[in-house]
Amino acid sequence: MTILPAPTFIPVEVCTAVGLPMDGPLDKCMAAVKAAVAKDGVAAPKADVPGLERVIAGAHDRGVDLKVVVMEKSPLIDTPLRDIATQIGEDHPGSTVLVLSPQYAGTYSKDYTRVLLEAGQDVAKTAPNPVQGAQNFVDQLNTPIFPWTAFTIGVVFAVAAAAVLTRLLQRWGKRDATVEK
């Protein structure tokens, strides 16, 4: 049985990452984006490339194989940015991919959890420019996430212990009240 890949939606706005018109063939745009990323890890407007290359070099020093795509225009929804990131990531196994547009961010990685990637997306898309957004993303990848699972388990045990202690005190209080009568 052949398993087909999940359907993806690549928006025409991806063309703006490599300076092509949005009314051109989408396959040509995506091929140009993939070629730019394969060359130096970046598909972005020319003005942002030097700064993004510095961010990628810094990420590499931290052990992150980062690929960045910056679109000059945003699609109507954010989901296609993850689709673009997934396609780039499948071409570069072991890499972490960040796709930025003026309003949204999308990511792909097999090395980081979705929670950490989403936290990174949040700080990346609110930055004033793509270079700062990419740097914020890399910084977030290296920030420990609060251990919510351990905290929740601790709270559950504390509540259970409090309930048992309350019940024991109720029974002890009734026993003392019965003995005094």
Side-chain angles (χ1 to χ4, degrees):
M1 177 177 181
T2 302
I3 298 175
L4 299 173
T8 58
F9 170 66
I10 305 300
V12 296
E13 289 83 1
V14 74
C15 298
T16 64
V18 288
L20 294 174
M22 292 192 314
D23 59 358
L26 191 55
D27 292 343
K28 182 179 177 185
C29 291
M30 198 60 193
V33 168
K34 288 180 177 186
V37 169
K39 180 181 173 212
D40 56 11
V42 178
K46 290 187 188 324
D48 294 324
V49 171
L52 291 169
E53 286 176 338
R54 285 191 301 276
V55 172
I56 289 171
H60 189 266
D61 292 344
R62 294 179 176 186
V64 179
D65 181 15
L66 183 65
K67 310 294 183 204
V68 180
V69 176
V70 177
M71 300 170 13
E72 290 181 331
K73 297 186 184 227
S74 294
L76 295 176
I77 57 174
D78 63 347
T79 309
L81 275 68
R82 187 184 295 179
D83 292 342
I84 295 167
T86 300
Q87 283 198 11
I88 300 294
E90 288 172 350
D91 288 351
H92 301 275
S95 66
T96 297
V97 183
L98 171 65
V99 179
L100 291 169
S101 74
Q103 290 178 293
Y104 307 120
T107 55
Y108 170 86
S109 181
K110 296 239 181 206
D111 297 330
Y112 295 98
T113 64
R114 178 53 46 197
V115 170
L116 194 54
L117 291 173
E118 296 278 343
Q121 283 178 211
D122 290 343
V123 297
K125 68 185 176 187
T126 58
N129 61 64
V131 175
Q132 185 61 53
Q135 184 61 57
N136 292 352
F137 177 76
V138 172
D139 292 343
Q140 185 63 42
L141 291 180
N142 292 299
T143 301
I145 297 293
F146 186 79
W148 287 106
T149 302
F151 176 76
T152 302
I153 290 170
V155 168
V156 167
F157 279 124
V159 169
V164 168
L165 181 63
T166 301
R167 183 65 181 142
L168 289 173
L169 289 174
Q170 282 178 335
R171 292 184 76 177
W172 182 58
K174 278 185 175 181
R175 187 187 69 193
D176 284 349
T178 307
V179 170
E180 287 179 10
K181 284 184 180 180

